Amino acid sequence: MNIKAVYILGIESSCDETSASVSRNGRILSNITAGQEIHARYGGVVPELASRAHQLHIVPVIDVALKDAGITVDQLDAIAFTRGPGLIGSLLVGTSFAKGMALSLNIPLIEVNHMQAHVIANFTFREHQEGEIPDFPFLCLTVSGGHTQIVLVRDFLKMELIGQTQDDAAGEAFDKVAKMLGLPYPGGPFIDKLAADGNPFAYKFPHPHAPGLDFSFSGLKTAVLYFLKKERLLDPNFPGDKTADVCASVQETIVRILINKVRLAAKETGISIIALAGGVSANSHLRKTLTETGLEENWKTYIPDFEFCTDNAGMISAFAYHKYLAKDFCSMATTPLARLPL
Ligand code: KG4
Ligand code: ZN
């Protein structure tokens, strides 16, 4: 019997990336993302500019995603979109477009939680790509620009938040420190690059006291600020040629805070299958440290492909396939939500 393949168009517009992807039976055929350089000069995402840029990008991005996948709109079986969490103006663009397409094609509409989709990046692969996937239940450390979470993943559609940041997210800590060092936005990737030539133990920064499996990063940001102020009293050009050492030391501190909590979560839950997700999972030191800790602790560790770490629609169209199989569709009355719990 010839079973018809399921084609889903996923649309992601929660922050400053306009992205569209086509999946066939959950495998990625195309994944197209348009970034927004306009924010760099402001040192952070400007919500109003982000939603306007989404409006400009969404048609060409979807057009290229369909062409790249080699299909036409009439072959689509469902349209999926990021409902939240994110910037409301940005989410509105993707949501409205998805609704319009689903309505005109008379096919189901699937809402996706952006943070759940990040987790599912661990199951997101290109059509012929080989890759291992975690068994359920597993723990996922999801680290992005807006969130830092430890998630107990029981199934594709069954996730439980067991730890989260009480203030800044890990990505935010990277970006704010980068800003203090005069690096462009978003600074995480720049710190990663510069840190490669630095000594991670050159400077010591305090670890926060967040209870249980929760995190806190605002203290680190303040500690780095005061450290730089103090050093600049002695040398106004600080960190100058010590920039790599400062980056490596801050990065080491953030990674250590994250990994220590994962260790605790593994101990408390008795789960030794650990996955990584979110934009900060692109960080080379975090990837390396998780792999090394996994070997020490006898964990099975999983890290998404780079393409599916930072915001992308591949994770949306891949996740939507599982919702499609569960017939988990949403109505045309569904509205985007800036805050959407896991
Ligand atoms: O998941 P994401 O693309 O967007 C949100 O949902 O927030 O994450 C963006 C965050 C930014 O804070 C960015 O600086 C950080 O991920 N990031 C990195 C790296 N690549 C992206 N942080 C550290 N090292 C990297 N290589
Ligand atoms: Zn994200």
Side-chain angles (χ1 to χ4, degrees):
M1 193 172 65
N2 211 351
I3 299 171
K4 189 195 168 300
V6 175
Y7 290 92
I8 299 178
L9 171 71
I11 301 172
E12 155 64 33
S13 71
S14 64
C15 191
D16 59 342
E17 317 275 8
T18 319
S19 187
S21 161
V22 176
S23 65
R24 173 163 57 202
N25 294 340
R27 287 282 185 152
I28 305 305
L29 298 182
S30 66
N31 184 30
I32 303 294
T33 303
Q36 303 180 354
E37 272 170 24
I38 183 112
H39 307 290
R41 75 186 77 158
Y42 300 98
V45 177
V46 183
E48 180 55 32
L49 296 178
S51 48
R52 280 191 221 171
H54 282 304
Q55 287 175 24
L56 284 178
H57 295 163
I58 196 153
V59 173
V61 163
I62 291 175
D63 193 40
V64 176
L66 288 167
K67 286 198 174 109
D68 238 36
I71 67 158
T72 51
V73 275
D74 50 303
Q75 285 176 270
L76 289 171
D77 295 286
I79 310 284
F81 66 98
T82 301
R83 185 183 184 195
L87 301 170
I88 196 69
S90 294
L91 291 165
L92 260 169
V93 179
T95 306
S96 313
F97 207 92
K99 282 186 192 177
M101 272 189 91
L103 197 63
S104 68
L105 296 167
N106 196 24
I107 54 176
L109 185 64
I110 299 173
E111 59 153 295
V112 170
N113 180 311
H114 181 83
M115 298 314 293
Q116 290 184 355
H118 269 308
V119 173
I120 298 306
N122 284 284
F123 297 84
T124 307
F125 298 99
R126 289 265 169 181
E127 176 113 88
H128 300 295
Q129 191 183 355
E130 296 281 326
E132 289 203 17
I133 52 169
D135 284 330
F136 297 111
F138 66 91
L139 297 177
C140 187
L141 171 69
T142 315
V143 271
S144 72
H147 295 80
T148 301
Q149 304 179 331
I150 299 181
V151 184
L152 201 173
V153 189
R154 297 186 196 279
D155 207 324
F156 290 110
L157 307 179
K158 238 179 173 179
M159 301 187 195
E160 189 186 325
L161 186 65
I162 59 170
Q164 63 182 322
T165 185
Q166 298 181 325
D167 40 59
D168 292 353
E172 216 173 334
F174 270 108
D175 296 341
K176 285 180 176 168
V177 169
K179 199 171 176 181
M180 291 178 212
L181 295 173
L183 299 171
Y185 178 86
F190 292 94
I191 293 199
D192 190 351
K193 219 171 177 179
L194 287 163
D197 300 318
N199 172 7
F201 305 105
Y203 304 102
K204 223 174 150 33
F205 297 107
H207 281 219
H209 297 286
L213 299 177
D214 282 349
F215 300 90
S216 166
F217 286 102
S218 65
L220 174 64
K221 175 187 64 190
T222 316
V224 175
L225 181 71
Y226 283 107
F227 160 77
L228 290 175
K229 269 192 180 163
K230 203 171 128 219
E231 293 291 332
R232 280 171 183 161
L233 287 178
L234 305 169
D235 171 10
N237 295 322
F238 188 84
D241 60 1
K242 301 279 192 307
T243 301
D245 285 345
V246 174
C247 288
S249 303
V250 170
Q251 179 175 267
E252 165 68 20
T253 309
I254 295 173
V255 167
R256 215 32 77 186
I257 292 168
L258 293 170
I259 294 293
N260 284 348
K261 286 288 172 155
V262 173
R263 248 188 240 270
L264 186 62
K267 206 169 147 210
E268 284 190 2
T269 59
I271 294 174
S272 55
I273 303 173
I274 316 287
L276 201 58
V280 182
S281 64
N283 182 267
S284 56
H285 189 49
L286 179 58
R287 294 168 86 93
K288 185 165 163 269
T289 310
L290 180 75
T291 307
E292 286 169 357
T293 313
L295 291 173
E296 275 166 41
E297 299 279 346
N298 223 0
W299 297 339
K300 284 192 97 177
T301 55
Y302 298 85
I303 305 175
D305 203 85
F306 271 112
E307 183 187 7
F308 305 117
C309 284
T310 47
D311 286 352
N312 68 92
M315 63 187 193
I316 307 297
S317 70
F319 184 35
Y321 176 62
H322 297 281
K323 290 197 135 189
Y324 183 92
L325 294 180
K327 294 196 169 34
D328 190 348
F329 305 133
C330 68
S331 89
M332 281 292 158
T334 308
T335 50
L337 294 171
R339 286 171 178 271
L340 181 62
L342 203 74

